[in-house]
Amino acid sequence: MKRMIGRNGALTGEQAPLAKGRLHQAVAQLLATQIVDGTVPVGHVYPAEVEHAEQLGVSRSVLREAFQILTAKGLVTSRPKAGTRVSERRRWSLLDPDVLGWQIQSGPSEEFLRDLFELRMVVEPQAAEMAALRRSDDQLVDMANALDTMEHQTLATEKGRAADQRFHGLLMEATHNEMIHALSSSIMAAIAWTTTIKQRVQQTPRDPMPEHRKLFEEIAARNARQAQKAMRVLIELALADMQVVLRR
């Protein structure tokens, strides 16, 4: 049977068959989206495994693997005889890249975006200051190459967006601080999803290269305080872009 996840939550359609690994991830995404957008409320108890699998049109093993993903990310809890229940939001792994992506895809609230950009403002300016002092020459070359690719490909392309993420990832890596670098996957996920939304919604998105180039120049010159300021400007402009998008 060839199946896709339909709007009603079932797997339907006559599309190319999905491999088992992809299918359980698709089911996890469907269930997660319903949780984060409020369609399925906190405290909801899912049907028994056999019944629920039949409703979705998947095997019990696929459903079980999907719930294992959601359990690992804190969205649901499972207990013997009590079933699988949607967890309170405070238990969610909010910085998990997948959880961030699901929330942004589901139509983020202004409060969520405020919190997200406040996190960036706390972490990234300090990371930029540290990177200016600690970066290696090789890291600087890699950053320059990432910016060149970003400028040539533009953020309208997948390659351009990947280059943008690579630049920010290299900057976090250049802090040579394990704890800060551990946050890089969350930061890059936030950048990736918000950038994608801006590119889809805005007819003429703002060119982000000037502030990226300014940030790079300060890191290259080892101007730590100026690098911090440049990163603040970059984040403030990105937030302003998202606020424009939300008003549309």
Side-chain angles (χ1 to χ4, degrees):
M1 170 67 75
K2 300 178 180 180
R3 297 184 174 108
M4 289 286 287
I5 292 180
R7 293 181 180 273
N8 63 355
L11 294 178
T12 60
E14 291 298 323
Q15 304 297 326
L18 294 171
K20 181 178 178 182
R22 289 183 58 199
L23 183 54
H24 81 260
Q25 291 168 1
V27 173
Q29 181 174 346
L30 168 69
L31 297 174
T33 300
Q34 292 174 341
I35 292 171
V36 301
D37 71 7
T39 301
V40 178
V42 170
H44 172 79
V45 178
Y46 288 97
E49 188 177 89
V50 174
E51 178 185 352
H52 197 186
E54 288 179 353
Q55 290 175 357
L56 293 174
V58 299
S59 68
R60 293 172 61 186
S61 63
V62 166
L63 180 61
R64 195 175 302 125
E65 289 177 42
F67 273 131
Q68 286 174 353
I69 293 174
L70 301 191
T71 299
K73 298 177 188 299
L75 272 65
V76 301
T77 56
S78 297
R79 295 180 180 176
K81 299 183 180 181
T84 300
R85 182 185 301 268
V86 176
S87 303
E88 297 177 1
R89 185 178 175 84
R90 62 187 177 85
R91 297 184 179 277
W92 299 0
S93 300
L94 292 174
L95 292 182
D96 181 279
D98 287 334
V99 178
L100 281 172
W102 291 329
Q103 291 182 93
I104 294 173
Q105 285 179 296
S106 298
S109 66
E110 289 192 27
E111 292 77 13
F112 172 80
L113 287 174
R114 178 204 64 199
D115 291 351
L116 186 60
F117 277 91
E118 283 180 352
L119 172 66
R120 289 190 62 187
M121 192 64 81
V122 168
V123 174
E124 291 185 90
Q126 185 61 41
E129 181 175 349
M130 295 168 68
L133 296 173
R134 301 177 180 179
R135 56 83 180 164
S136 68
D137 290 342
D138 286 344
Q139 287 170 329
L140 196 64
V141 170
D142 288 342
M143 285 186 212
N145 290 335
L147 286 184
D148 287 343
T149 300
M150 179 180 167
E151 185 168 31
H152 177 69
Q153 296 289 338
T154 79
L155 292 180
T157 70
E158 186 175 341
K159 287 183 178 180
R161 293 190 293 272
D164 182 25
Q165 291 181 67
R166 174 154 177 75
F167 172 78
H168 286 271
L170 285 164
L171 186 151
M172 300 284 277
E173 182 182 310
T175 66
H176 294 280
N177 181 302
E178 281 188 335
M179 303 303 172
I180 291 178
H181 188 223
L183 291 172
S184 61
S185 61
S186 300
I187 296 294
M188 287 189 290
I191 292 169
W193 283 112
T194 53
T195 298
T196 298
I197 289 174
K198 287 185 290 185
Q199 291 295 316
R200 287 176 180 171
V201 175
Q202 291 181 306
Q203 293 182 345
T204 55
R206 178 184 57 83
D207 179 12
M209 290 309 304
E211 61 267 24
H212 280 77
R213 289 292 186 191
K214 174 64 175 175
L215 173 59
F216 173 78
E217 289 169 5
E218 301 299 354
I219 292 174
R222 297 192 186 278
N223 293 331
R225 290 299 178 86
Q226 293 305 313
Q228 183 189 78
K229 290 179 181 179
M231 179 62 89
R232 287 186 176 276
V233 170
L234 188 155
I235 297 170
E236 287 169 355
L237 289 173
L239 174 58
D241 287 343
M242 281 303 301
Q243 289 171 333
V244 169
V245 168
L246 285 178
R247 288 195 290 268
R248 294 191 174 186

